[in-house]
Amino acid sequence: MNTRLDPKIVAQVRSLLSQGYRIGTEHADLRRFKTSSWQSCAPIESSNDGQVLSALEGCLRDHAGEYVRLLGIDTQNRSRVLETLIQRPDGSTPDLSGTVAIKSSNGRASSYATVDSNGGSSLADQVRALLSQGCQIALEYADQRRFKTSSWQSAGLVEATHFKQVMLSIESTLQEHEGKYVRLLGVDPLAKRRVVELIIQRADGKPVNLGSTVTASVSTASVGSTANYGVSAGGSGLTGEILAQIRGLLSQGFRVAAESADVRRFRTGSWQTCPPIESSNEHQVVAALAKLLSDYEGQYVRLLGIDPKARRRVLEVIVQRP
């Protein structure tokens, strides 16, 4: 196997070393990779880039046929600042174009920003909010063919509940399923249902605009709990969060629609389609949705984001409760 390091790996290592971090590695076979049961490789004690790169090459060679990930370690805080996949079992190197060392506002490197260099903070906010409400994170993926038929495949439930570990697990999944669609699920373990479905990676590699994603508030006090996006019970006014959600969907070329359900239908998941919103103009869409909320006052209403090309939903969000 060719063990010559990819230039992007070399740049990553040098960037971490220049910030005073140590380099480490972990490996996993296919079975362990699926359960995120990584094993530590031999420690790299040196901080000399030449020696570190030589040790890293040896690690990849020793663990040929396995997944290997690079670690950036803050020795002062005894914490990891980066985890990035650098080898697959077939010997190929994942795309590392978005995994450069990024400093956060406090001057320390942030591993969360590597998940999506164009919107990682919004993804981090979404994950943090879900975890704070007791939700679990799961991931699904689909190639172009399966995406068009909504035949998603499970990438597994993220067993970790600590924010850093969850974000790093998400990053590993994105790298493993490079060239495919990946969506994040927020799961309410008490109600045993999904509260959020959010596409976080596209098959064409184009950045996913998460800047308008709003955080979920999960109620565990009632049957059929799900996401609440800032609409009070019986309220028909659109909040700033909902407006931002609509703006984000329209900016990505998606259409907006809505469904309604009374309490009985809501508990059985029997949603009914509301009159269609034909416009793609933000002001007209907002006006149409506000009218729907008024028309269906006393019922659940959920906002839909629809990809007209793939003819599938990219988002389902409850925006009104009885």
Side-chain angles (χ1 to χ4, degrees):
M1 186 189 76
N2 183 3
T3 59
R4 185 176 181 180
L5 294 176
D6 185 287
K8 293 173 183 175
I9 297 177
V10 174
Q12 181 73 73
V13 169
R14 287 175 174 164
S15 177
L16 288 167
L17 292 174
S18 70
Q19 298 177 69
Y21 299 124
R22 300 294 292 272
I23 301 299
T25 50
E26 292 178 331
H27 66 99
D29 57 22
L30 183 59
R31 179 181 61 84
R32 287 183 174 275
F33 179 81
K34 289 182 177 179
T35 59
S36 296
S37 302
W38 292 87
Q39 295 178 294
S40 297
C41 301
I44 301 175
E45 302 293 348
S46 177
S47 57
N48 175 275
D49 62 348
Q51 294 174 344
V52 170
L53 293 171
S54 178
L56 191 55
E57 267 199 354
C59 177
L60 295 180
R61 183 170 54 250
D62 292 344
H63 297 289
E66 295 185 74
Y67 292 94
V68 176
R69 67 181 180 184
L70 174 73
L71 311 178
I73 303 169
D74 184 340
T75 54
Q76 293 183 344
N77 294 325
R78 297 181 180 180
S79 63
R80 298 180 179 184
V81 298
L82 182 72
E83 290 183 357
T84 185
L85 196 66
I86 60 173
Q87 179 176 280
R88 301 176 188 272
D90 60 6
S92 64
T93 302
D95 181 11
L96 302 175
S97 59
T99 54
V100 294
I102 299 175
K103 289 191 175 181
S104 59
S105 58
N106 61 6
R108 308 304 295 171
S110 170
S111 60
Y112 320 133
T114 67
V115 172
D116 179 358
S117 59
N118 293 289
S121 60
S122 295
L123 176 59
D125 290 343
Q126 182 76 30
V127 170
R128 187 180 290 108
L130 289 167
L131 293 176
S132 70
Q133 294 160 55
C135 291
Q136 292 179 299
I137 304 298
L139 297 159
E140 293 179 330
Y141 65 96
D143 56 22
Q144 289 278 11
R145 180 180 61 82
R146 288 183 174 274
F147 179 77
K148 290 180 179 179
T149 58
S150 295
S151 302
W152 291 86
Q153 294 177 288
S154 175
L157 185 70
V158 178
E159 298 294 342
T161 56
H162 189 273
F163 174 70
K164 289 184 179 180
Q165 294 173 330
V166 171
M167 292 300 292
L168 292 170
S169 181
I170 291 172
E171 181 176 352
S172 292
T173 300
L174 292 177
Q175 292 177 330
E176 169 60 12
H177 297 290
E178 177 188 344
K180 297 179 182 179
Y181 290 92
V182 177
R183 71 177 179 184
L184 179 142
L185 311 177
V187 181
D188 183 342
L190 296 180
K192 295 182 179 180
R193 64 176 300 167
R194 300 176 180 186
V195 299
V196 170
E197 292 183 354
L198 180 67
I199 290 179
I200 58 175
Q201 177 173 285
R202 294 171 55 95
D204 56 14
K206 293 181 179 179
V208 179
N209 180 10
L210 299 176
S212 60
T213 303
V214 293
T215 55
S217 174
V218 180
S219 168
T220 56
S222 60
V223 177
S225 59
T226 188
N228 179 348
Y229 280 66
V231 180
S232 59
S236 58
L238 293 173
T239 67
E241 292 174 333
I242 299 173
L243 295 176
Q245 186 72 64
I246 293 171
R247 187 175 300 113
L249 288 168
L250 295 176
S251 69
Q252 296 175 71
F254 299 131
R255 300 298 295 270
V256 173
E259 292 179 329
S260 65
D262 56 23
V263 174
R264 180 180 62 83
R265 287 183 174 274
F266 176 78
R267 290 180 175 175
T268 59
S270 302
W271 292 86
Q272 293 181 299
T273 302
C274 297
I277 301 175
E278 302 292 350
S279 177
S280 59
N281 176 276
E282 179 185 336
H283 297 292
Q284 294 175 347
V285 170
V286 169
L289 184 59
K291 184 177 186 303
L292 288 175
L293 294 180
S294 177
D295 292 345
Y296 292 95
E297 184 177 357
Q299 297 188 40
Y300 291 92
V301 175
R302 69 179 179 186
L303 172 73
L304 309 178
I306 300 173
D307 184 338
K309 294 182 179 179
R311 296 182 180 179
R312 62 172 306 281
R313 298 178 181 186
V314 297
L315 187 69
E316 293 181 352
V317 174
I318 288 184
V319 295
Q320 177 172 282
R321 296 175 179 272

